[in-house]
Amino acid sequence: MKLLMNKGSPFSRKVRILARERGLAGRITEVIVKVSPVEVDTDLARSNPLTQIPVLLLDDGMALYDSSVICDYLESLGVGGDTLPTSGPARWSALRSQALCDGMLSAAVLCRYETAVRPAALRWDAWTDGQRRKIAGGLSELALQFEGWQDTFGRTQIGAVCVLGYLDFRFPEWAWRDEHPRLARWFSQISSRASVMETVPA
Ligand SMILES: N[C@@H](CCC(=O)N[C@@H](CS)C(=O)NCC(=O)O)C(=O)O
């Protein structure tokens, strides 16, 4: 299998951490792809018309996207414990947390494009502020949920690592640790886990 990804992409990181957690890293070749919301990559578009990464190319030629679908697929192949509860309220809660983290990542990636891609004359502060509010609201929710995580490292926690790591990577001025010191302590502890260390954004 080939994973179209890059090391700065938080959605790719979600898949890369899960692959490592499920013992599948050795079966996946990571292929670095540069993406831009304003330039068309025709190769990538052939695999994913949304021209977004990550994309998982299966050995039979099928291309899978987006990150959550790829995680579900890898989950079906992997060895070791599930990263999502298989049934009941715990499953819906974990899927909701996955959606929360994905939404926070989408907002963060859009904020990043706002400064890295959009010409200064076309920027709209109120719009960026709106995206940042979504991230801030999500952080407060994660800080509440974190109290029940104990030693679990599943889909919710993988999502949280990707969000917090991306904030540190692209928005180092965002002092989220001041507001959520207990979540910050958890992030610092989990940062020494192999799958997390091996996928630090670059
Ligand atoms: N919902 C998608 C989002 C993926 C996404 O936004 N990827 C970014 C990189 S982190 C991308 O490819 N951006 C290029 C673009 O949007 O054109 C997922 O979960 O995989």
Side-chain angles (χ1 to χ4, degrees):
M1 292 178 282
K2 284 190 184 145
L3 181 68
L4 310 186
M5 47 75 67
N6 72 49
K7 292 186 178 177
S9 154
F11 287 103
S12 301
R13 189 181 192 194
K14 189 173 137 194
V15 171
R16 297 173 70 220
I17 292 179
L18 186 133
R20 283 161 176 77
E21 290 293 327
R22 296 307 302 263
L24 292 165
R27 290 173 58 184
I28 298 174
T29 306
E30 295 185 338
V31 179
I32 294 183
V33 173
K34 271 181 130 181
V35 281
S36 157
V38 290
E39 281 163 32
V40 180
D41 175 333
T42 45
D43 275 350
L44 181 60
R46 263 193 291 276
S47 302
N48 177 359
L50 303 175
T51 57
Q52 290 186 323
I53 52 169
V55 175
L56 185 69
L57 302 177
L58 306 186
D59 295 338
D60 66 5
M62 185 176 186
L64 286 183
Y65 53 87
D66 61 2
S67 60
S68 295
V69 173
I70 299 172
C71 286
D72 288 349
Y73 178 76
L74 294 179
E75 189 90 43
S76 76
L77 303 179
V79 291
D82 291 335
T83 63
L84 269 180
T86 48
S87 64
R91 178 173 176 82
W92 299 116
S93 169
L95 285 171
R96 186 182 60 178
S97 298
Q98 174 173 257
L100 177 72
C101 292
D102 284 354
M104 294 169 76
L105 286 180
S106 292
V109 168
L110 289 177
C111 286
R112 161 75 184 159
Y113 290 155
E114 205 56 23
T115 51
V117 180
R118 194 185 293 278
L122 300 179
R123 286 183 201 148
W124 183 17
D125 288 346
W127 185 90
T128 311
D129 291 347
Q131 300 302 321
R132 289 176 80 100
R133 265 197 305 277
K134 295 176 200 288
I135 302 168
L139 283 173
S140 300
E141 174 62 23
L142 284 180
L144 279 179
Q145 291 188 10
F146 145 81
E147 301 295 342
W149 289 352
Q150 288 150 358
D151 288 337
T152 310
F153 192 69
R155 210 70 78 86
T156 304
Q157 293 75 25
I158 292 173
V161 162
C162 295
V163 168
L164 300 175
Y166 191 69
L167 289 183
D168 284 353
F169 179 51
R170 291 301 191 200
F171 307 94
E173 76 293 348
W174 192 317
W176 62 270
R177 287 177 175 78
D178 295 348
E179 246 174 279
H180 306 296
R182 287 164 62 77
L183 187 62
R185 231 173 355 259
W186 172 83
F187 184 55
S188 156
Q189 280 159 9
I190 212 70
S191 294
S192 59
R193 196 177 176 100
S195 64
V196 177
M197 272 202 304
E198 287 167 21
T199 58
V200 169

PDB file of all heavy atoms in Angstrom, residues 6 8-12 14 35-38 44 50-54 65-68 102 106 109 113, ligand 1:
ATOM      1  N   ASN A   6       2.048  14.204   3.509  1.00  0.00           N
ATOM      2  CA  ASN A   6       3.301  14.903   3.796  1.00  0.00           C
ATOM      3  C   ASN A   6       3.414  15.111   5.300  1.00  0.00           C
ATOM      4  O   ASN A   6       2.425  14.964   6.027  1.00  0.00           O
ATOM      5  CB  ASN A   6       3.493  16.181   2.953  1.00  0.00           C
ATOM      6  CG  ASN A   6       2.609  17.308   3.360  1.00  0.00           C
ATOM      7  OD1 ASN A   6       2.512  17.656   4.534  1.00  0.00           O
ATOM      8  ND2 ASN A   6       1.950  17.909   2.373  1.00  0.00           N
ATOM      9  N   GLY A   8       3.890  17.602   7.165  1.00  0.00           N
ATOM     10  CA  GLY A   8       3.270  18.735   7.849  1.00  0.00           C
ATOM     11  C   GLY A   8       1.764  18.585   7.953  1.00  0.00           C
ATOM     12  O   GLY A   8       1.103  19.370   8.636  1.00  0.00           O
ATOM     13  N   SER A   9       1.215  17.593   7.264  1.00  0.00           N
ATOM     14  CA  SER A   9      -0.251  17.453   7.183  1.00  0.00           C
ATOM     15  C   SER A   9      -0.806  16.734   8.411  1.00  0.00           C
ATOM     16  O   SER A   9      -0.498  15.568   8.655  1.00  0.00           O
ATOM     17  CB  SER A   9      -0.606  16.682   5.903  1.00  0.00           C
ATOM     18  OG  SER A   9      -1.847  16.018   6.048  1.00  0.00           O
ATOM     19  N   PRO A  10      -1.665  17.408   9.184  1.00  0.00           N
ATOM     20  CA  PRO A  10      -2.182  16.779  10.397  1.00  0.00           C
ATOM     21  C   PRO A  10      -3.143  15.629  10.106  1.00  0.00           C
ATOM     22  O   PRO A  10      -3.251  14.688  10.885  1.00  0.00           O
ATOM     23  CB  PRO A  10      -2.900  17.930  11.116  1.00  0.00           C
ATOM     24  CG  PRO A  10      -3.281  18.887  10.026  1.00  0.00           C
ATOM     25  CD  PRO A  10      -2.193  18.774   8.989  1.00  0.00           C
ATOM     26  N   PHE A  11      -3.856  15.702   8.965  1.00  0.00           N
ATOM     27  CA  PHE A  11      -4.749  14.592   8.614  1.00  0.00           C
ATOM     28  C   PHE A  11      -3.922  13.363   8.229  1.00  0.00           C
ATOM     29  O   PHE A  11      -4.309  12.230   8.508  1.00  0.00           O
ATOM     30  CB  PHE A  11      -5.678  14.996   7.461  1.00  0.00           C
ATOM     31  CG  PHE A  11      -6.756  15.971   7.870  1.00  0.00           C
ATOM     32  CD1 PHE A  11      -6.656  17.321   7.549  1.00  0.00           C
ATOM     33  CD2 PHE A  11      -7.871  15.548   8.577  1.00  0.00           C
ATOM     34  CE1 PHE A  11      -7.637  18.228   7.921  1.00  0.00           C
ATOM     35  CE2 PHE A  11      -8.872  16.439   8.947  1.00  0.00           C
ATOM     36  CZ  PHE A  11      -8.748  17.785   8.626  1.00  0.00           C
ATOM     37  N   SER A  12      -2.784  13.601   7.568  1.00  0.00           N
ATOM     38  CA  SER A  12      -1.897  12.471   7.255  1.00  0.00           C
ATOM     39  C   SER A  12      -1.341  11.886   8.546  1.00  0.00           C
ATOM     40  O   SER A  12      -1.206  10.665   8.678  1.00  0.00           O
ATOM     41  CB  SER A  12      -0.729  12.934   6.376  1.00  0.00           C
ATOM     42  OG  SER A  12      -1.190  13.493   5.179  1.00  0.00           O
ATOM     43  N   LYS A  14      -2.713  11.649  11.386  1.00  0.00           N
ATOM     44  CA  LYS A  14      -3.728  10.792  12.021  1.00  0.00           C
ATOM     45  C   LYS A  14      -3.590   9.354  11.506  1.00  0.00           C
ATOM     46  O   LYS A  14      -3.552   8.390  12.276  1.00  0.00           O
ATOM     47  CB  LYS A  14      -5.095  11.378  11.626  1.00  0.00           C
ATOM     48  CG  LYS A  14      -6.288  10.824  12.305  1.00  0.00           C
ATOM     49  CD  LYS A  14      -7.490  11.687  11.865  1.00  0.00           C
ATOM     50  CE  LYS A  14      -8.679  10.844  11.550  1.00  0.00           C
ATOM     51  NZ  LYS A  14      -9.719  11.598  10.820  1.00  0.00           N
ATOM     52  N   VAL A  35       0.793  19.676  -1.425  1.00  0.00           N
ATOM     53  CA  VAL A  35      -0.567  20.051  -1.834  1.00  0.00           C
ATOM     54  C   VAL A  35      -0.760  21.557  -1.700  1.00  0.00           C
ATOM     55  O   VAL A  35      -0.092  22.203  -0.895  1.00  0.00           O
ATOM     56  CB  VAL A  35      -1.663  19.349  -0.982  1.00  0.00           C
ATOM     57  CG1 VAL A  35      -1.866  17.932  -1.429  1.00  0.00           C
ATOM     58  CG2 VAL A  35      -1.380  19.447   0.495  1.00  0.00           C
ATOM     59  N   SER A  36      -1.658  22.059  -2.534  1.00  0.00           N
ATOM     60  CA  SER A  36      -2.003  23.476  -2.463  1.00  0.00           C
ATOM     61  C   SER A  36      -3.467  23.602  -2.849  1.00  0.00           C
ATOM     62  O   SER A  36      -3.913  22.959  -3.800  1.00  0.00           O
ATOM     63  CB  SER A  36      -1.143  24.272  -3.447  1.00  0.00           C
ATOM     64  OG  SER A  36      -1.795  25.486  -3.762  1.00  0.00           O
ATOM     65  N   PRO A  37      -4.223  24.422  -2.096  1.00  0.00           N
ATOM     66  CA  PRO A  37      -5.639  24.577  -2.460  1.00  0.00           C
ATOM     67  C   PRO A  37      -5.847  25.373  -3.741  1.00  0.00           C
ATOM     68  O   PRO A  37      -6.962  25.445  -4.247  1.00  0.00           O
ATOM     69  CB  PRO A  37      -6.229  25.312  -1.249  1.00  0.00           C
ATOM     70  CG  PRO A  37      -5.071  26.005  -0.606  1.00  0.00           C
ATOM     71  CD  PRO A  37      -3.845  25.190  -0.911  1.00  0.00           C
ATOM     72  N   VAL A  38      -4.763  25.968  -4.284  1.00  0.00           N
ATOM     73  CA  VAL A  38      -4.948  26.784  -5.491  1.00  0.00           C
ATOM     74  C   VAL A  38      -4.208  26.247  -6.716  1.00  0.00           C
ATOM     75  O   VAL A  38      -4.340  26.795  -7.807  1.00  0.00           O
ATOM     76  CB  VAL A  38      -4.522  28.260  -5.244  1.00  0.00           C
ATOM     77  CG1 VAL A  38      -5.498  28.947  -4.309  1.00  0.00           C
ATOM     78  CG2 VAL A  38      -3.109  28.358  -4.707  1.00  0.00           C
ATOM     79  N   LEU A  44      -2.588  13.659  -8.266  1.00  0.00           N
ATOM     80  CA  LEU A  44      -3.371  13.507  -7.028  1.00  0.00           C
ATOM     81  C   LEU A  44      -4.869  13.526  -7.356  1.00  0.00           C
ATOM     82  O   LEU A  44      -5.644  12.741  -6.800  1.00  0.00           O
ATOM     83  CB  LEU A  44      -3.003  14.626  -6.044  1.00  0.00           C
ATOM     84  CG  LEU A  44      -3.704  14.607  -4.686  1.00  0.00           C
ATOM     85  CD1 LEU A  44      -3.405  13.312  -3.927  1.00  0.00           C
ATOM     86  CD2 LEU A  44      -3.273  15.819  -3.838  1.00  0.00           C
ATOM     87  N   LEU A  50     -10.842  15.603  -4.795  1.00  0.00           N
ATOM     88  CA  LEU A  50     -10.770  16.755  -3.885  1.00  0.00           C
ATOM     89  C   LEU A  50      -9.341  17.289  -3.800  1.00  0.00           C
ATOM     90  O   LEU A  50      -9.099  18.305  -3.143  1.00  0.00           O
ATOM     91  CB  LEU A  50     -11.258  16.345  -2.486  1.00  0.00           C
ATOM     92  CG  LEU A  50     -12.680  15.769  -2.423  1.00  0.00           C
ATOM     93  CD1 LEU A  50     -13.003  15.290  -1.016  1.00  0.00           C
ATOM     94  CD2 LEU A  50     -13.705  16.802  -2.872  1.00  0.00           C
ATOM     95  N   THR A  51      -8.406  16.595  -4.453  1.00  0.00           N
ATOM     96  CA  THR A  51      -6.968  16.922  -4.417  1.00  0.00           C
ATOM     97  C   THR A  51      -6.474  17.223  -3.006  1.00  0.00           C
ATOM     98  O   THR A  51      -5.805  18.219  -2.754  1.00  0.00           O
ATOM     99  CB  THR A  51      -6.585  18.081  -5.385  1.00  0.00           C
ATOM    100  OG1 THR A  51      -7.356  19.236  -5.061  1.00  0.00           O
ATOM    101  CG2 THR A  51      -6.785  17.685  -6.821  1.00  0.00           C
ATOM    102  N   GLN A  52      -6.819  16.312  -2.115  1.00  0.00           N
ATOM    103  CA  GLN A  52      -6.364  16.443  -0.728  1.00  0.00           C
ATOM    104  C   GLN A  52      -5.631  15.172  -0.332  1.00  0.00           C
ATOM    105  O   GLN A  52      -5.879  14.089  -0.878  1.00  0.00           O
ATOM    106  CB  GLN A  52      -7.555  16.647   0.210  1.00  0.00           C
ATOM    107  CG  GLN A  52      -8.211  18.023   0.039  1.00  0.00           C
ATOM    108  CD  GLN A  52      -9.289  18.299   1.064  1.00  0.00           C
ATOM    109  OE1 GLN A  52     -10.025  17.394   1.443  1.00  0.00           O
ATOM    110  NE2 GLN A  52      -9.396  19.537   1.488  1.00  0.00           N
ATOM    111  N   ILE A  53      -4.737  15.334   0.629  1.00  0.00           N
ATOM    112  CA  ILE A  53      -4.095  14.185   1.260  1.00  0.00           C
ATOM    113  C   ILE A  53      -4.642  14.076   2.678  1.00  0.00           C
ATOM    114  O   ILE A  53      -5.127  15.083   3.218  1.00  0.00           O
ATOM    115  CB  ILE A  53      -2.549  14.333   1.273  1.00  0.00           C
ATOM    116  CG1 ILE A  53      -2.151  15.692   1.888  1.00  0.00           C
ATOM    117  CG2 ILE A  53      -1.986  14.174  -0.112  1.00  0.00           C
ATOM    118  CD1 ILE A  53      -0.683  15.833   2.186  1.00  0.00           C
ATOM    119  N   PRO A  54      -4.602  12.899   3.270  1.00  0.00           N
ATOM    120  CA  PRO A  54      -3.995  11.660   2.797  1.00  0.00           C
ATOM    121  C   PRO A  54      -4.898  10.884   1.834  1.00  0.00           C
ATOM    122  O   PRO A  54      -6.124  10.988   1.870  1.00  0.00           O
ATOM    123  CB  PRO A  54      -3.827  10.866   4.096  1.00  0.00           C
ATOM    124  CG  PRO A  54      -4.990  11.303   4.950  1.00  0.00           C
ATOM    125  CD  PRO A  54      -5.163  12.759   4.637  1.00  0.00           C
ATOM    126  N   TYR A  65      -9.852   7.623   0.482  1.00  0.00           N
ATOM    127  CA  TYR A  65      -9.795   8.886   1.202  1.00  0.00           C
ATOM    128  C   TYR A  65     -11.137   9.017   1.871  1.00  0.00           C
ATOM    129  O   TYR A  65     -12.081   8.289   1.504  1.00  0.00           O
ATOM    130  CB  TYR A  65      -9.515  10.072   0.243  1.00  0.00           C
ATOM    131  CG  TYR A  65     -10.470  10.147  -0.918  1.00  0.00           C
ATOM    132  CD1 TYR A  65     -11.687  10.833  -0.813  1.00  0.00           C
ATOM    133  CD2 TYR A  65     -10.186   9.486  -2.122  1.00  0.00           C
ATOM    134  CE1 TYR A  65     -12.582  10.879  -1.875  1.00  0.00           C
ATOM    135  CE2 TYR A  65     -11.080   9.532  -3.178  1.00  0.00           C
ATOM    136  CZ  TYR A  65     -12.271  10.229  -3.056  1.00  0.00           C
ATOM    137  OH  TYR A  65     -13.161  10.268  -4.106  1.00  0.00           O
ATOM    138  N   ASP A  66     -11.383   9.850   2.910  1.00  0.00           N
ATOM    139  CA  ASP A  66     -10.428  10.737   3.519  1.00  0.00           C
ATOM    140  C   ASP A  66      -9.742  10.029   4.703  1.00  0.00           C
ATOM    141  O   ASP A  66      -9.776   8.790   4.784  1.00  0.00           O
ATOM    142  CB  ASP A  66     -11.128  12.047   3.943  1.00  0.00           C
ATOM    143  CG  ASP A  66     -12.228  11.838   4.971  1.00  0.00           C
ATOM    144  OD1 ASP A  66     -12.462  10.704   5.404  1.00  0.00           O
ATOM    145  OD2 ASP A  66     -12.854  12.839   5.388  1.00  0.00           O
ATOM    146  N   SER A  67      -9.171  10.817   5.626  1.00  0.00           N
ATOM    147  CA  SER A  67      -8.371  10.215   6.698  1.00  0.00           C
ATOM    148  C   SER A  67      -9.193   9.243   7.553  1.00  0.00           C
ATOM    149  O   SER A  67      -8.680   8.189   7.953  1.00  0.00           O
ATOM    150  CB  SER A  67      -7.745  11.311   7.572  1.00  0.00           C
ATOM    151  OG  SER A  67      -8.738  12.113   8.169  1.00  0.00           O
ATOM    152  N   SER A  68     -10.459   9.569   7.803  1.00  0.00           N
ATOM    153  CA  SER A  68     -11.253   8.691   8.672  1.00  0.00           C
ATOM    154  C   SER A  68     -11.575   7.372   7.970  1.00  0.00           C
ATOM    155  O   SER A  68     -11.589   6.311   8.600  1.00  0.00           O
ATOM    156  CB  SER A  68     -12.539   9.389   9.122  1.00  0.00           C
ATOM    157  OG  SER A  68     -12.199  10.488   9.928  1.00  0.00           O
ATOM    158  N   ASP A 102     -11.452  16.378  13.700  1.00  0.00           N
ATOM    159  CA  ASP A 102     -11.368  16.660  12.256  1.00  0.00           C
ATOM    160  C   ASP A 102     -11.825  18.091  11.953  1.00  0.00           C
ATOM    161  O   ASP A 102     -11.236  18.785  11.131  1.00  0.00           O
ATOM    162  CB  ASP A 102     -12.243  15.676  11.457  1.00  0.00           C
ATOM    163  CG  ASP A 102     -11.600  14.298  11.352  1.00  0.00           C
ATOM    164  OD1 ASP A 102     -10.443  14.134  11.787  1.00  0.00           O
ATOM    165  OD2 ASP A 102     -12.270  13.371  10.845  1.00  0.00           O
ATOM    166  N   SER A 106      -9.654  20.990  10.274  1.00  0.00           N
ATOM    167  CA  SER A 106     -10.063  21.713   9.052  1.00  0.00           C
ATOM    168  C   SER A 106      -9.973  23.213   9.286  1.00  0.00           C
ATOM    169  O   SER A 106      -9.469  23.958   8.431  1.00  0.00           O
ATOM    170  CB  SER A 106     -11.504  21.368   8.668  1.00  0.00           C
ATOM    171  OG  SER A 106     -11.586  20.046   8.265  1.00  0.00           O
ATOM    172  N   VAL A 109      -6.287  24.216   9.379  1.00  0.00           N
ATOM    173  CA  VAL A 109      -5.654  24.198   8.051  1.00  0.00           C
ATOM    174  C   VAL A 109      -6.137  25.412   7.240  1.00  0.00           C
ATOM    175  O   VAL A 109      -5.347  26.079   6.561  1.00  0.00           O
ATOM    176  CB  VAL A 109      -5.956  22.855   7.324  1.00  0.00           C
ATOM    177  CG1 VAL A 109      -5.580  22.929   5.850  1.00  0.00           C
ATOM    178  CG2 VAL A 109      -5.219  21.694   8.010  1.00  0.00           C
ATOM    179  N   TYR A 113      -3.842  28.376   5.580  1.00  0.00           N
ATOM    180  CA  TYR A 113      -3.868  28.812   4.173  1.00  0.00           C
ATOM    181  C   TYR A 113      -4.119  30.312   4.070  1.00  0.00           C
ATOM    182  O   TYR A 113      -3.665  30.960   3.136  1.00  0.00           O
ATOM    183  CB  TYR A 113      -4.960  28.050   3.403  1.00  0.00           C
ATOM    184  CG  TYR A 113      -4.647  26.584   3.183  1.00  0.00           C
ATOM    185  CD1 TYR A 113      -5.658  25.655   2.990  1.00  0.00           C
ATOM    186  CD2 TYR A 113      -3.329  26.130   3.169  1.00  0.00           C
ATOM    187  CE1 TYR A 113      -5.379  24.314   2.785  1.00  0.00           C
ATOM    188  CE2 TYR A 113      -3.043  24.792   2.974  1.00  0.00           C
ATOM    189  CZ  TYR A 113      -4.070  23.884   2.785  1.00  0.00           C
ATOM    190  OH  TYR A 113      -3.786  22.562   2.594  1.00  0.00           O
TER     191      TYR A 113
HETATM  192  N1  LIG B   1     -11.375  15.627   5.305  1.00  0.00           N
HETATM  193  C1  LIG B   1     -10.041  15.401   4.816  1.00  0.00           C
HETATM  194  C2  LIG B   1      -9.207  16.683   4.945  1.00  0.00           C
HETATM  195  C3  LIG B   1      -7.831  16.532   4.313  1.00  0.00           C
HETATM  196  C4  LIG B   1      -7.107  17.869   4.149  1.00  0.00           C
HETATM  197  O1  LIG B   1      -7.633  18.964   4.398  1.00  0.00           O
HETATM  198  N2  LIG B   1      -5.856  17.754   3.730  1.00  0.00           N
HETATM  199  C5  LIG B   1      -5.071  18.932   3.461  1.00  0.00           C
HETATM  200  C6  LIG B   1      -3.632  18.752   3.951  1.00  0.00           C
HETATM  201  S1  LIG B   1      -3.587  18.548   5.702  1.00  0.00           S
HETATM  202  C7  LIG B   1      -4.996  19.140   1.954  1.00  0.00           C
HETATM  203  O2  LIG B   1      -4.820  18.194   1.220  1.00  0.00           O
HETATM  204  N3  LIG B   1      -5.144  20.382   1.505  1.00  0.00           N
HETATM  205  C8  LIG B   1      -5.105  20.739   0.120  1.00  0.00           C
HETATM  206  C9  LIG B   1      -6.426  21.275  -0.338  1.00  0.00           C
HETATM  207  O3  LIG B   1      -7.369  21.367   0.466  1.00  0.00           O
HETATM  208  O4  LIG B   1      -6.527  21.588  -1.517  1.00  0.00           O
HETATM  209  C10 LIG B   1      -9.408  14.238   5.570  1.00  0.00           C
HETATM  210  O5  LIG B   1      -9.877  13.896   6.677  1.00  0.00           O
HETATM  211  O6  LIG B   1      -8.508  13.571   5.021  1.00  0.00           O
END
